[in-house]
Amino acid sequence: IFRDPRWGRGQETYGEDPFLTAEMGVAFIGGLQGDDPKYVKVMACAKHFAVHSGPEAERHRFNVAPSDRDLYETYLPAFEAAVCQGHVGSVMGAYNSVYGKPAYANPFLLQELLRRQWGFDGFVVSDGGAIYDIWAPHKYAATPEEAAADAVKAGCNLCSPGSDYDVLVHAVQRCLISEVEIDDAVGRALAARFRLGLFDPPSVVPWSKITLAQNDTPEHQALALKVAQESLVLLKNEGVLPLNRATLKRIAVIGTNANSVTMLLGNYSGTPSKPVTILDGIKAVAGDRKSTRLNSS
């Protein structure tokens, strides 16, 4: 949930509204996972659970203690909807601590809320390096072995990167965790792979018929354009628009971002096949008349 406009990663969220975030999340999960009763198309992951909204520089060590009302009315509704309505296959925790316990070693979040109250039956995966945070920045555990054991017992089934869970062998030898508890975590991860059809012949998995030829098709491009057009939020027009082509002589497009493809993409993006910068878009609409000079500086 985007609570502070100074948070640099707010652009990765769906905004500040818990209801809108929940609605968009459920729809996104449905699109990713598909509607086959047996097989999942792509395993969706809801993140970051929970109360993750900055400050970015302190995210690996800070503790949050929201009021009950803020927790249940602001930070949890979208996750609850993702689990109960969207049936999301996986959940990724947050780097921060919640009520004094790191999110990945927090039974209240991963057991009481996620599994007992909401009935989550998927797997929980850590963000990159988050298990390390349990014993280093947070200082919640004294050793890597204790941190890994605490996370698995709390309900974190997979680790990213996996090397942070390599110490579980030593944790078992030190009686910090049992093999049965590790088996439970492994079982949840394997169940996800079965739901994806990875152990079945491709001929019986409907999603295996999707090929690269169905990526970036004209139909998908048209749909993406429609979504973009219908999701725009415009400022109030008080007679300025539309511009009068008869009297228009110059259009000034200010700032290097106007002609930057990178600026369009955001974080963790793919590579678009036909990117259109702001400058390119204005040129396309304004035309190529000699009296119109379009440059970005």
Side-chain angles (χ1 to χ4, degrees), residues 13-292:
T13 77
Y14 289 155
E16 72 281 3
D17 186 338
F19 175 78
L20 178 63
T21 300
E23 292 291 299
M24 293 180 69
V26 169
F28 206 103
I29 293 164
L32 287 174
Q33 296 192 165
D35 56 3
D36 187 82
K38 182 176 181 180
Y39 295 105
V40 173
K41 179 168 56 174
V42 177
M43 192 67 74
C45 182
K47 61 181 189 176
H48 298 84
F49 189 61
V51 202
H52 176 78
S53 59
E56 191 69 14
E58 299 295 316
R59 63 184 175 148
H60 291 274
R61 59 177 58 89
F62 78 101
N63 175 58
V64 293
S67 66
D68 284 349
R69 179 171 183 174
D70 207 21
L71 178 68
Y72 285 96
E73 292 187 1
T74 303
Y75 289 107
L76 295 183
F79 286 105
E80 183 176 8
V83 173
C84 298
Q85 299 175 37
H87 306 291
V88 70
S90 65
V91 170
M92 179 179 284
Y95 284 119
N96 52 273
S97 288
V98 181
Y99 302 129
K101 292 185 178 182
Y104 291 106
N106 198 313
F108 167 68
L109 291 177
L110 304 185
Q111 296 291 346
E112 180 59 31
L113 284 178
L114 198 57
R115 297 205 184 275
R116 294 194 184 97
Q117 293 190 26
W118 300 346
F120 178 64
D121 62 355
F123 66 91
V124 175
V125 58
S126 75
D127 206 342
I131 306 305
Y132 167 86
D133 290 349
I134 295 174
W135 70 271
H138 285 298
K139 302 187 185 304
Y140 179 79
T143 66
E145 291 83 1
E146 291 177 29
D150 286 344
V152 173
K153 289 193 290 187
C156 182
N157 312 123
L158 282 179
C159 171
S160 172
S163 58
D164 284 339
Y165 269 3
D166 288 351
V167 297
L168 284 171
V169 174
H170 303 298
V172 171
Q173 293 169 349
R174 292 175 51 190
C175 299
L176 298 172
I177 189 172
S178 68
E179 291 188 40
V180 172
E181 290 169 305
I182 295 176
D183 287 344
D184 179 72
V186 173
R188 294 184 185 279
L190 285 174
R193 297 179 68 113
F194 278 107
R195 290 184 63 197
L196 286 162
L198 299 181
F199 297 109
D200 294 338
S203 60
V204 302
V205 182
W207 309 118
S208 67
K209 299 175 179 62
I210 299 175
T211 68
L212 286 177
Q214 291 167 269
N215 181 52
D216 197 20
T217 63
E219 293 79 12
H220 293 159
Q221 294 172 11
L223 179 59
L225 177 61
K226 180 181 179 182
V227 170
Q229 291 171 334
E230 295 187 3
S231 63
L232 290 174
V233 178
L234 302 178
L235 299 176
K236 185 178 181 180
N237 179 24
E238 296 181 330
V240 176
L241 300 176
L243 298 176
N244 189 335
R245 280 182 169 272
T247 59
L248 181 65
K249 294 182 178 180
R250 292 183 179 179
I251 298 175
V253 183
I254 310 299
T256 56
N257 280 345
N259 203 32
S260 169
V261 173
T262 302
M263 187 276 299
L264 302 174
L265 304 182
N267 293 8
Y268 304 103
S269 61
T271 302
S273 59
K274 300 180 181 66
V276 179
T277 67
I278 295 172
L279 180 62
D280 291 336
I282 293 175
K283 282 183 175 181
V285 173
D288 193 26
R289 295 187 305 173
K290 293 182 180 180
S291 58
T292 303

